Amino acid sequence: MESDIEMELESDNDGEYDDDYDYYNTGEDCDVERLDPKRADPEYFEYDCLTVEDIEKLLNELVEKLNTILQITPSLAKVLLLEHQWNNTVVVEKYRQDANALLVTARIKPPTSSADAASTSAAAAAQLLKMGSSGYKAPPAVGGNANTPPYRSQMCPVCASSQLGDKFYSLACGHSFCKDCWTMYFETQIFQGISIQIGCMAPMCNVRVPEDLVLTLVTRPVMRDKYQQFAFKDYVKSHPELRFCPGPNCQIIVQSSEISAKRAICKVCRTGFCFKCGMDYHAPTDCQVIKKWLTKCADDSETANYISAHTKDCPKCHICIEKNGGCNHMQCFNCKHDFCWMCLGDWKTHGSEYYECSRYKDNPNIANESVHVQAREALKKYLHYYERWENHSKSLKLEQQTIERLRQRINTKVMNGSGTWIDWQYLFNAAGLLAKCRYTLQYTYPYAYYMEAGSRKNLFEYQQAQLEAEIENLSWKIERAETTDLGDLENQMDIAEKRRTTLLKDFFPVAV
Amino acid sequence: MANMAVSRIKREFKEVMRSEEIVQCSIKIELVNDSWTELRGEIAGPPDTPYEGGKFVLEIKVPETYPFNPPKVRFITRIWHPNISSVTGAICLDILKDNWAAAMTLRTVLLSLQALLAAAEPDDPQDAVVAYQFKDKHELFLMTAKHWTNAYAGGPHTFPDCDSKIQRLKDMGIEEHDARAVLSKENWNLEKATECLFS
């Protein structure tokens, strides 16, 4: 950005600073510099969205680097990198320490018994790594003359046919099989989705087949392509800094050097996900907790669904109400009673800064009561958090409908001559921010559920309540906004977003 | 059927026929059809196990992609064993799944199955009910396995108590095998078995 501005300056003014421009630019530069995004925004995340070609280039560079350092074939370099999270330094270090052990753990070489360990020195290991695809073939018999062929005939243990020795290939383990058997074996394995994990055909032998042997023997283009696709997938998955975009049919790979539970948004398909675990983004809850929570919800949802029905009765006139929009501030269409959808209490008590409703009050006497009561108490506690989680999740799902309704309302307003279409655009920004805040709020409930009772939990629930109250305010204001409310609404947006970032700053585990 | 599969099977068939085990009558193999896609194997229950004295027949289906994929093997003779389904005869054995290697043969498969009869792996069960009995009521497991070997595989041990309980259920109109299966599952508790059948 800075360089852009400078370039513009130079081209426009030939290096001479005009007073107006100077003033304008320094102002903007300062602004950019003053805000360190890492401090200001707890969700700040630097990442790149790369294509398959970019990644291939990146991985090949790593392979080439290891090639030049250790003088080994690219396909073995790939195996070693794959086994060590693509960390060149670790591979080189381990190689210098104990090349033999490195090759055994990477399944390039079979484990050696202690008796012949001495003979397999580092030199032998180095020899093994340098051999190219031709190295898989048995060498011609020594001392062959013009009368005897250089290869003797031998039997392949798989197809049970006798062939000349030059048709045979073997890995470091020495198990020798004929070319046709290897090829058919590779094709059956690739067909089952196995690529870089293909092993030797001998029983109880776990030596891995490197890429170059597979690609030398498999000639059908379809199978070669498949192999390369599967292998590429495995390479990306083994690289700690790379993630496939989880969007449907999306080819993008996201890269970041910061491996934390932050939100990455694919620049192509707009899918957002947690970079660490690949699930839906879940701040302030961390990856393990959200996994635990989602499993729990999947297990208990039947009970929870049964208990928290989709409708509630108005606390005053007892008419049945189905909630079809985002806001928790309900107004009964029948008796005009204002109440809270969560606790069914009077809305007036929610207006103050303390939003009682989102707090679950632990019963301090629970330890003294029977197992039965404890179980019921545990279910009650779970349902308290689950209902709120589910409630916000439903509100978010209705977002599209809410925006559609907003659009209709604006249309009617514009038709009636109150403001122009442009005057109303700010409402869409507000709705976007509301969804963002509600999303974070939804994920605060699993966090609170697994928190231990104490002052930190109190603080968390206090902040959560604050956030919830501001979100409900915002939601209420959006639904009833007029053109003249712009200032008030923007103020409310600012407050809600501040509450959200404050909570994340204090509790989001990866925040700096 | 692929050429390689046929030539391999033919060769392995000969290997089994010529093996020492055939001489000792501990394994056997025969053809089911002319296309070599299905075979029938037989293994003798290993000594010092509840399966001793029994002959167990196996269904062996050879896939098109043999030997790069394992043969599909199943017990036809009913057997009471933690790693073999008492209902379908399906087998849980690593070499018939992920640990299959193309250089393995029918002979190694038959010998591995015989070894499985001698050394069950109750922590990796195919039949959870049998595995539970194996771990928690081992004496009862041994009796049930011997009884099944006697009833289905021609084993020598008879258990009059088991037979009379089965007879009681047969008198109520239950098929003999169903009666045996329920009683085995309910640890030979007649009351529980009846309850299970009629509730």
Side-chain angles (χ1 to χ4, degrees):
Chain A
M1 184 160 184
E2 231 172 304
S3 62
D4 266 4
I5 292 160
E6 271 168 25
M7 290 242 304
E8 218 172 277
L9 261 179
E10 270 169 26
S11 58
D12 279 352
N13 305 316
D14 281 332
E16 260 182 57
Y17 279 51
D18 193 69
D19 267 2
D20 287 344
Y21 269 107
D22 210 2
Y23 165 75
Y24 177 73
N25 275 306
T26 46
E28 219 181 54
D29 271 357
C30 278
D31 240 13
V32 171
E33 274 166 11
R34 211 180 298 135
L35 282 170
D36 176 7
K38 275 182 191 159
R39 288 252 173 84
D41 179 5
E43 292 176 297
Y44 179 80
F45 186 48
E46 262 179 31
Y47 59 94
D48 289 311
C49 293
L50 304 172
T51 61
V52 172
E53 289 75 42
D54 294 336
I55 298 295
E56 274 171 350
K57 215 175 120 198
L58 187 139
L59 296 182
N60 280 337
E61 273 166 19
L62 286 170
V63 170
E64 262 163 43
K65 215 169 132 196
L66 192 64
N67 265 348
T68 38
I69 303 173
L70 295 184
Q71 302 289 315
I72 60 176
T73 66
S75 94
L76 290 181
K78 271 186 190 169
V79 174
L80 290 177
L81 284 167
L82 173 91
E83 289 286 310
H84 296 91
Q85 286 82 47
W86 295 83
N87 190 330
N88 255 318
T89 343
V90 172
V91 176
V92 173
E93 219 169 78
K94 282 197 176 171
Y95 181 81
R96 303 228 194 278
Q97 263 172 21
D98 188 348
N100 196 43
L102 174 75
L103 295 181
V104 170
T105 47
R107 291 172 45 205
I108 292 172
K109 213 176 148 293
T112 39
S113 57
S114 54
D116 56 13
S119 67
T120 51
S121 60
Q127 183 60 41
L128 181 62
L129 286 172
K130 272 175 208 145
M131 69 184 192
S133 58
S134 61
Y136 301 120
K137 261 189 174 178
V142 197
N145 56 40
N147 296 330
T148 55
Y151 289 102
R152 270 180 303 169
S153 158
Q154 65 183 94
M155 197 196 75
C156 170
V158 168
C159 63
S161 66
S162 287
Q163 291 180 55
L164 282 182
D166 65 338
K167 293 271 193 307
F168 282 78
Y169 288 81
S170 66
L171 302 172
C173 53
H175 299 122
S176 191
F177 302 98
C178 79
K179 189 182 156 208
D180 293 342
C181 284
W182 276 121
T183 314
M184 276 173 78
Y185 171 63
F186 293 156
E187 290 197 354
T188 8
Q189 294 282 302
I190 296 167
F191 193 74
Q192 287 164 16
I194 305 168
S195 58
I196 49 173
Q197 298 294 354
I198 297 178
C200 172
M201 285 195 281
M204 310 303 161
C205 176
N206 76 341
V207 171
R208 188 202 304 264
V209 181
E211 195 180 272
D212 51 358
L213 181 60
V214 176
L215 293 176
T216 314
L217 296 184
V218 176
T219 46
R220 277 166 64 194
V222 196
M223 292 318 257
R224 285 174 75 92
D225 283 356
K226 265 200 181 145
Y227 178 81
Q228 275 160 326
Q229 275 172 22
F230 291 142
F232 180 72
K233 241 182 210 161
D234 286 340
Y235 292 143
V236 170
K237 279 184 190 155
S238 67
H239 196 302
E241 292 180 5
L242 302 179
R243 296 288 181 280
F244 280 107
C245 167
N249 295 324
C250 185
Q251 296 291 312
I252 292 298
I253 295 150
V254 179
Q255 189 228 355
S256 174
S257 53
E258 184 195 342
I259 305 150
S260 58
K262 287 190 176 174
R263 168 159 43 198
I265 297 170
C266 173
K267 291 196 170 79
V268 175
C269 71
R270 312 301 308 165
T271 306
F273 61 98
C274 164
F275 185 76
K276 201 171 175 190
C277 68
M279 307 276 284
D280 284 346
Y281 180 60
H282 48 69
T285 313
D286 68 35
C287 300
Q288 287 91 8
V289 171
I290 197 68
K291 211 173 155 195
K292 220 159 102 187
W293 172 257
L294 290 174
T295 335
K296 188 174 173 60
C297 288
D299 290 347
D300 296 348
S301 59
E302 281 313 303
T303 339
N305 281 343
Y306 178 74
I307 295 170
S308 73
H310 293 263
T311 60
K312 288 181 183 179
D313 291 349
C314 167
K316 205 173 169 196
C317 68
H318 302 292
I319 199 162
C320 185
I321 296 170
E322 184 197 19
K323 187 163 142 62
N324 60 358
C327 183
N328 280 330
H329 180 179
M330 303 296 283
Q331 193 179 44
C332 176
F333 71 95
N334 189 36
C335 67
K336 306 283 176 229
H337 174 56
D338 288 277
F339 66 97
C340 166
W341 179 255
M342 291 285 196
C343 65
L344 296 176
D346 196 325
W347 186 259
K348 277 180 209 137
T349 58
H350 291 82
S352 60
E353 60 157 17
Y354 209 71
Y355 187 42
E356 279 282 327
C357 193
S358 66
R359 281 169 68 83
Y360 177 77
K361 291 191 194 67
D362 265 326
N363 181 354
N365 296 324
I366 193 165
N368 305 326
E369 291 168 16
S370 71
V371 184
H372 184 70
V373 176
Q374 273 186 38
R376 203 160 57 198
E377 205 63 33
L379 181 68
K380 217 171 104 193
K381 176 183 165 189
Y382 166 67
L383 284 178
H384 171 91
Y385 291 101
Y386 180 77
E387 261 180 39
R388 281 151 185 80
W389 153 272
E390 189 57 21
N391 199 37
H392 288 296
S393 150
K394 270 198 198 119
S395 298
L396 277 173
K397 280 185 196 132
L398 291 172
E399 198 197 340
Q400 207 45 50
Q401 287 178 33
T402 313
I403 286 181
E404 200 43 51
R405 262 212 316 277
L406 209 58
R407 187 164 288 138
Q408 277 170 15
R409 202 163 74 85
I410 293 170
N411 273 339
T412 340
K413 290 276 185 190
V414 174
M415 288 298 179
N416 293 342
S418 63
T420 63
W421 178 247
I422 291 169
D423 291 335
W424 289 97
Q425 286 309 297
Y426 74 96
L427 271 185
F428 290 111
N429 292 339
L433 183 95
L434 177 68
K436 192 174 160 193
C437 290
R438 211 182 266 289
Y439 189 92
T440 304
L441 181 62
Q442 183 194 348
Y443 281 91
T444 60
Y445 284 103
Y447 190 93
Y449 177 77
Y450 288 108
M451 245 178 146
E452 272 175 42
S455 56
R456 201 164 154 76
K457 184 167 185 175
N458 287 342
L459 177 65
F460 182 80
E461 295 207 322
Y462 172 74
Q463 291 201 9
Q464 185 188 39
Q466 297 268 302
L467 175 62
E468 181 149 30
E470 296 309 340
I471 285 174
E472 296 313 338
N473 271 340
L474 182 61
S475 183
W476 178 257
K477 280 179 182 167
I478 288 172
E479 280 182 34
R480 283 156 189 82
E482 298 296 329
T483 38
T484 47
D485 294 336
L486 172 64
D488 186 31
L489 198 74
E490 276 187 340
N491 191 28
Q492 186 60 44
M493 281 165 71
D494 199 41
I495 294 171
E497 176 62 10
K498 278 264 160 56
R499 293 276 184 227
R500 194 181 76 87
T501 44
T502 312
L503 187 137
L504 287 179
K505 256 186 212 165
D506 290 352
F507 293 95
F508 190 26
V510 296
V512 193
Chain B
M1 181 135 153
N3 219 4
M4 187 188 288
V6 176
S7 63
R8 261 285 300 254
I9 287 293
K10 281 184 181 164
R11 195 182 176 84
E12 288 172 35
F13 191 79
K14 280 186 207 146
E15 182 197 31
V16 175
M17 296 309 259
R18 272 195 239 115
S19 68
E20 277 174 47
E21 291 87 17
I22 260 280
V23 181
Q24 298 157 4
C25 297
S26 84
I27 63 172
K28 223 198 242 172
I29 198 158
E30 62 191 43
L31 274 177
V32 170
N33 55 22
D34 293 339
S35 62
W36 296 85
T37 52
E38 197 175 332
L39 301 147
R40 189 130 304 177
E42 193 182 291
I43 53 175
D48 303 321
T49 69
Y51 311 105
E52 186 172 3
K55 296 261 184 226
F56 298 89
V57 180
L58 300 154
E59 174 191 273
I60 303 168
K61 285 190 172 160
V62 183
E64 189 82 5
T65 48
Y66 190 81
F68 304 109
N69 283 116
K72 292 186 173 65
V73 188
R74 179 178 84 83
F75 273 83
I76 292 178
T77 310
R78 293 184 192 275
I79 183 167
W80 192 251
H81 186 286
N83 304 104
I84 300 157
S85 166
S86 60
V87 182
T88 62
I91 306 164
C92 176
L93 182 64
D94 59 346
I95 63 149
L96 293 177
K97 287 168 188 160
D98 302 332
N99 282 348
W100 169 257
M104 285 180 180
T105 65
L106 289 177
R107 181 170 164 261
T108 47
V109 168
L110 293 176
L111 294 178
S112 301
L113 284 172
Q114 220 171 17
L116 182 70
L117 294 191
E121 301 232 10
D123 291 322
D124 191 12
Q126 171 80 36
D127 196 312
V129 176
V130 186
Y132 174 76
Q133 200 182 63
F134 183 96
K135 286 173 91 167
D136 273 48
K137 300 182 165 37
H138 197 69
E139 284 305 312
L140 214 55
F141 162 79
L142 291 176
M143 185 188 83
T144 313
K146 280 180 196 162
H147 172 72
W148 280 52
T149 307
N150 169 253
Y152 300 113
H157 302 280
T158 51
F159 297 89
D161 181 46
C162 296
D163 294 332
S164 71
K165 280 178 182 163
I166 290 169
Q167 191 56 47
R168 289 277 296 278
L169 288 181
K170 272 170 82 179
D171 293 343
M172 294 183 219
I174 307 293
E175 290 279 330
E176 176 174 332
H177 173 69
D178 294 340
R180 183 173 290 117
V182 167
L183 280 164
S184 304
K185 194 181 105 195
E186 297 295 345
N187 299 320
W188 298 96
N189 183 324
L190 191 59
E191 254 172 62
K192 273 197 181 162
T194 324
E195 204 175 287
C196 183
L197 281 166
F198 294 101
S199 63

